[in-house]
Amino acid sequence: MYDFIQKFHSGWAYLALLVLVVAVVNSFIGMSSKKEFTSKDRKIALFALIAIHIQLLVGIILYFVSPLGFASFGQMADKALRLTSLEHPLINIIAIILITIGWSKHKKLVASESKFKTFSIFYGLGLLLILSRIPWNMWF
Ligand code: HEM
């Protein structure tokens, strides 16, 4: 069980990060070129939202089956364990909340520019937070 969930979380992260990067780049391009927000732009943002939520769900399960998750919670002196048991989950949950807020906010907006701007800010911040707390040396 642990092995499967760990591999899934590790592999899905490539896809989730890729679509999130695409969504952020797309919203920056849309914002700077002042183009119209189309259903294609909405779909890109939606795919990123879904992919990142799947990553979150698998991450929560992993947290309780991994020796590096909840089982290591409290071992603050060990940098690597502090990352996987506290910083990575906490910061990523905050990032995913921001991404979700960005998605809900865009629905209430009418102007294309505001929609692109909202995605640029919320998805962009979420991406930065996620990248800041990935256990890079475990991943590669
Ligand atoms: C977008 C969000 C997330 C991304 C992109 C992400 C990505 C990653 C990556 C790349 C690793 C290293 C995997 C490896 O060893 O090959 C990892 C490890 C881990 N993640 Fe996440 N993660 C995310 C969210 C979460 C969340 C929300 C939790 C918990 C609530 C979580 C719990 C863990 C744990 C416990 C490990 C260490 C697992 C182990 O090797 O036993 N992750 N994550």
XYZ file of all heavy atoms in Angstrom, residues 2 6 9-10 13 17 52 55-56 59-60 62-63 66-69 84 88-89 92-93 96 130 134-135 138-139, ligand 1:
268
model
N 1.839 1.322 0.942
C 2.728 2.489 1.024
C 3.466 2.700 -0.287
O 3.517 3.812 -0.821
C 3.707 2.329 2.201
C 4.876 3.306 2.136
C 4.652 4.684 2.079
C 6.200 2.856 2.124
C 5.709 5.578 2.003
C 7.261 3.741 2.046
C 7.015 5.107 1.981
O 8.045 6.000 1.896
N 3.122 5.974 -2.564
C 4.339 6.797 -2.658
C 4.713 7.019 -4.124
O 5.023 8.139 -4.539
C 5.475 6.104 -1.884
C 6.672 7.001 -1.577
C 7.727 6.964 -2.679
O 7.791 5.988 -3.430
N 8.505 8.012 -2.775
N 2.114 9.337 -5.829
C 2.322 10.732 -5.415
C 3.552 11.321 -6.109
O 3.565 12.480 -6.508
C 2.494 10.770 -3.890
C 2.498 12.141 -3.296
N 1.377 12.915 -3.157
C 3.498 12.885 -2.777
C 1.683 14.054 -2.593
N 2.974 14.076 -2.351
N 4.566 10.494 -6.228
C 5.810 10.927 -6.864
C 5.622 11.140 -8.370
O 6.084 12.138 -8.933
C 6.880 9.859 -6.600
O 8.058 10.190 -7.236
N 3.002 13.975 -9.449
C 3.541 15.322 -9.215
C 4.061 15.935 -10.526
O 3.940 17.140 -10.738
C 4.658 15.271 -8.176
N 2.350 19.376 -11.647
C 3.170 20.589 -11.756
C 3.199 21.103 -13.189
O 3.165 22.306 -13.417
C 4.593 20.317 -11.258
C 4.737 20.281 -9.731
C 6.156 19.933 -9.337
C 4.357 21.629 -9.129
N -4.153 19.163 -9.279
C -3.549 19.534 -8.005
C -4.385 18.993 -6.838
O -3.852 18.621 -5.795
C -3.313 21.068 -7.954
C -1.941 21.378 -7.379
C -4.340 21.821 -7.195
C -0.780 21.086 -8.188
N -3.473 15.408 -6.438
C -2.177 15.351 -5.731
C -2.381 15.537 -4.225
O -1.767 14.852 -3.411
C -1.257 16.451 -6.279
C 0.148 16.436 -5.722
C 0.981 15.301 -6.284
O 0.642 14.751 -7.314
N 2.040 14.939 -5.594
N -3.270 16.445 -3.874
C -3.567 16.710 -2.455
C -4.165 15.473 -1.782
O -3.716 15.062 -0.704
C -4.544 17.896 -2.341
C -5.195 18.125 -0.969
C -4.179 18.669 0.025
C -6.354 19.109 -1.070
N -1.644 12.876 -1.390
C -0.693 13.355 -0.380
C -1.214 13.124 1.032
O -0.463 12.708 1.918
N -2.513 13.355 1.230
C -3.097 13.168 2.567
C -3.038 11.674 2.970
O -2.666 11.335 4.093
C -4.548 13.714 2.620
C -4.506 15.246 2.505
C -5.242 13.309 3.914
C -5.853 15.914 2.327
N -0.919 9.479 1.759
C 0.510 9.167 1.930
C 1.012 9.614 3.309
O 1.820 8.930 3.943
C 1.311 9.869 0.812
C 2.827 9.655 0.800
C 3.167 8.178 0.641
C 3.485 10.458 -0.320
N 0.508 10.750 3.737
C 0.952 11.307 5.026
C 0.738 10.308 6.171
O 1.521 10.245 7.108
C 0.165 12.601 5.305
C 0.699 13.385 6.474
C 1.931 14.028 6.379
C 0.002 13.472 7.673
C 2.440 14.747 7.447
C 0.497 14.190 8.742
C 1.721 14.828 8.616
O 2.231 15.527 9.684
N 3.062 6.777 5.268
C 4.511 6.898 5.099
C 5.231 7.038 6.445
O 4.740 7.715 7.343
C 4.807 8.140 4.248
O 6.175 8.466 4.338
N 6.410 6.424 6.562
C 7.200 6.621 7.791
C 7.734 8.061 7.882
O 8.182 8.486 8.941
C 8.347 5.617 7.640
C 8.424 5.298 6.179
C 7.041 5.476 5.625
N 7.668 8.787 6.749
C 8.206 10.151 6.719
C 7.121 11.214 6.936
O 7.399 12.403 6.921
C 8.893 10.422 5.366
C 9.902 9.374 4.898
C 10.430 9.723 3.526
C 11.030 9.270 5.900
N 5.863 10.761 7.117
C 4.761 11.691 7.296
C 4.410 11.869 8.761
O 5.268 12.244 9.571
N 9.269 16.677 5.231
C 8.205 15.764 4.760
C 7.040 15.646 5.741
O 5.917 15.370 5.328
C 8.765 14.353 4.479
O 9.449 13.879 5.641
C 9.685 14.342 3.283
N 6.359 20.508 3.981
C 5.815 20.147 2.664
C 4.276 20.033 2.702
O 3.594 20.698 1.916
C 6.503 18.865 2.183
C 5.932 18.238 0.965
N 6.116 18.746 -0.294
C 5.164 17.131 0.805
C 5.490 17.962 -1.170
N 4.907 16.984 -0.527
N 3.702 19.244 3.647
C 2.232 19.167 3.679
C 1.564 20.493 3.991
O 0.625 20.895 3.289
C 1.954 18.149 4.801
C 3.207 17.386 4.969
C 4.325 18.307 4.602
N 1.955 23.104 1.153
C 1.211 22.686 -0.037
C -0.295 22.820 0.161
O -1.014 23.157 -0.775
C 1.581 21.261 -0.434
C 2.875 21.217 -1.206
O 3.231 22.187 -1.870
N 3.613 20.144 -1.112
N -0.762 22.565 1.370
C -2.204 22.736 1.630
C -2.564 24.226 1.478
O -3.560 24.564 0.843
C -2.594 22.162 3.018
C -2.561 20.634 2.957
C -3.983 22.647 3.439
C -2.701 19.916 4.278
N -2.686 25.024 -2.177
C -3.871 24.485 -2.863
C -5.119 25.290 -2.477
O -6.015 25.497 -3.290
C -4.005 22.962 -2.604
C -2.809 22.254 -3.254
C -5.319 22.418 -3.165
C -2.554 20.848 -2.793
N 4.413 25.773 -3.688
C 4.629 24.331 -3.888
C 6.107 24.068 -4.203
O 6.748 23.209 -3.597
C 3.722 23.789 -5.029
C 2.262 23.795 -4.576
C 4.142 22.370 -5.428
C 1.259 23.484 -5.675
N 9.203 21.328 -2.072
C 9.241 19.960 -2.634
C 10.496 19.284 -2.084
O 11.553 19.915 -2.036
C 9.308 20.026 -4.187
C 8.000 20.579 -4.708
C 9.667 18.665 -4.793
C 7.309 19.824 -5.760
N 10.390 18.049 -1.643
C 11.625 17.354 -1.231
C 12.430 16.935 -2.472
O 12.427 15.777 -2.879
C 11.125 16.134 -0.438
C 9.661 16.049 -0.636
C 9.190 17.220 -1.439
N 14.738 13.887 -2.758
C 14.079 12.562 -2.732
C 13.496 12.249 -4.095
O 13.347 11.095 -4.484
C 12.925 12.587 -1.731
C 13.318 12.514 -0.285
S 11.852 12.794 0.726
C 10.857 11.378 0.271
N 13.092 13.315 -4.785
C 12.330 13.154 -6.027
C 13.204 12.705 -7.184
O 12.824 11.886 -7.994
C 11.637 14.481 -6.343
C 10.466 14.359 -7.279
C 9.746 13.228 -7.554
C 9.874 15.406 -8.050
N 8.736 13.515 -8.427
C 8.785 14.826 -8.748
C 10.129 16.753 -8.201
C 7.969 15.575 -9.602
C 9.309 17.497 -9.048
C 8.241 16.915 -9.739
C 0.724 20.025 -5.077
C 1.031 19.429 -4.018
C 2.127 18.416 -3.852
C 3.179 18.087 -4.663
C 3.530 18.638 -6.043
C 3.920 17.046 -3.973
C 5.052 16.432 -4.457
C 5.841 15.543 -3.734
C 7.061 14.960 -4.204
C 7.668 15.222 -5.583
C 7.541 14.163 -3.225
C 8.817 13.301 -3.283
C 8.386 11.952 -3.813
C 9.488 10.938 -3.943
O 10.024 10.495 -2.934
O 9.785 10.532 -5.082
C 6.605 14.205 -2.115
C 6.743 13.515 -0.929
C 5.814 13.509 0.089
N 4.620 14.213 0.108
Fe 3.954 15.485 -1.327
N 3.296 16.774 -2.780
C 2.205 17.602 -2.664
C 1.312 17.664 -1.619
C 1.378 16.903 -0.474
C 0.444 16.975 0.619
C -0.742 17.928 0.669
C 0.846 16.049 1.545
C 0.244 15.666 2.869
C -0.854 16.139 3.397
C 2.045 15.412 1.042
C 2.770 14.446 1.698
C 3.989 13.950 1.297
C 4.794 13.016 2.098
C 4.446 12.455 3.480
C 5.947 12.754 1.339
C 7.114 11.794 1.703
C 6.659 10.419 1.243
C 7.647 9.282 1.344
O 8.603 9.214 0.552
O 7.398 8.396 2.189
N 2.335 15.947 -0.195
N 5.567 15.053 -2.459
